[in-house]
Amino acid sequence: MGVRRGALIVLEGVDRAGKTTQCKRLVQALRDSGKEAEMMRFPDRTTMIGQLISSYLEKKSNLEDHTVHLLFSANRWEQVPLMKKKLEQGISLVVDRYAFSGVAFTSAKPVNPAEVAGRGGFGDERYETSVFQRAVQQKFEQLIKDPSVNWKVIDAARSIEDVHTEIKTLSENAINIAENQPIGELWK
Ligand code: ADP
Ligand code: 2DT
């Protein structure tokens, strides 16, 4: 019998929902229970493409909307061979944002720029305004209607511990199911 493959576990949501906190907690908990798990995040700002994205997000450079969308996409594709290898080796990947953020953020951009400008907000990076984040949230709500993706909706307005307990249980189930299934492709 071959190695049982790992699961691809993606945490999506608006800024400050607690994704990074929960990804770290989840990887630690999975490891503590003897499972192999690693964390990844997108955008991965460490690569050459990631540095272009980072500069754009920090408003140090401007990029045309389609161009930056494709950079985000390329920034995932450049990691796909490594991700597949790890999954095949039985390592579960806990990923802080993935292609759903790509769709949600780009498609939220038709929000009236005049309305977004000047509103107080979150941090200083591009997209970090409450108006834009509301538009992103609505896009995520559309995306989770897609039955081809195994979505679980988590109420993030609870304590870090309560949210973690739920994510851990759901992830353990997902890992058990994934073990017996071939690696699929997103949106195929
Ligand atoms: P994201 O990665 O979604 O942007 P973070 O995990 O970085 O969010 O969390 C944003 C901030 O909120 C951090 O200061 C974090 O400690 C805090 N935080 C995360 N989860 C919770 C929670 N369930 N309750 C209260 N504060 C939280
Ligand atoms: P972080 O704050 O999580 O580093 O994200 N984004 C992300 C996109 O617009 N398209 C994408 O494909 C991805 C993965 C979400 C930085 C910002 O980048 C946005 C917030």
Side-chain angles (χ1 to χ4, degrees):
M1 206 174 73
V3 178
R4 291 175 174 184
R5 75 155 174 109
L8 179 68
I9 299 164
V10 175
L11 269 64
E12 288 282 11
V14 293
D15 284 6
R16 312 262 178 95
K19 299 178 298 299
T20 306
T21 306
Q22 294 296 334
C23 282
K24 288 180 181 164
R25 287 292 304 268
L26 179 60
V27 168
Q28 195 54 54
L30 292 175
R31 287 182 177 166
D32 289 348
S33 65
K35 293 185 165 66
E36 284 198 90
E38 289 182 18
M39 179 169 165
M40 299 183 80
R41 67 176 311 138
F42 292 101
D44 174 354
R45 302 187 192 214
T46 65
T47 69
M48 282 169 74
I49 294 169
Q51 283 164 31
L52 294 174
I53 295 170
S54 189
S55 152
Y56 170 80
L57 290 171
E58 291 168 10
K59 300 178 194 161
K60 291 179 183 157
S61 63
N62 283 315
L63 289 166
E64 193 273 336
D65 286 342
H66 302 78
T67 308
V68 75
H69 180 82
L70 291 171
L71 288 178
F72 275 113
S73 178
N75 183 237
R76 287 186 292 275
W77 278 110
E78 63 182 341
Q79 302 296 347
V80 165
L82 179 66
M83 291 170 76
K84 280 189 176 162
K85 197 171 140 201
K86 287 184 186 284
L87 291 172
E88 281 159 3
Q89 287 171 345
I91 302 167
S92 287
L93 299 175
V94 176
V95 189
D96 190 344
R97 295 192 186 281
Y98 201 53
F100 313 98
S101 275
V103 176
F105 278 76
T106 295
S107 64
K109 281 185 165 179
V111 169
N112 183 356
E115 195 184 344
V116 174
R119 294 244 176 138
F122 287 65
D124 294 330
E125 286 205 332
R126 220 179 274 266
Y127 308 145
E128 292 184 340
T129 68
S130 47
V131 175
F132 193 78
Q133 294 292 321
R134 261 199 298 282
V136 169
Q137 170 71 23
Q138 283 166 9
K139 297 295 179 184
F140 278 130
E141 282 166 12
Q142 288 172 17
L143 287 172
I144 62 178
K145 290 182 186 155
D146 177 356
S148 74
V149 179
N150 182 15
W151 283 107
K152 305 289 179 200
V153 179
I154 315 284
D155 175 7
R158 293 172 294 161
S159 72
I160 291 177
E161 201 53 42
D162 285 358
V163 176
H164 167 68
T165 304
E166 185 178 354
I167 293 179
K168 180 168 170 275
T169 304
L170 292 169
S171 299
E172 284 169 346
N173 286 340
I175 291 170
N176 289 337
I177 293 166
E179 274 179 355
N180 302 309
Q181 288 181 348
I183 295 174
E185 282 185 56
L186 192 54
W187 292 317
K188 279 260 169 115

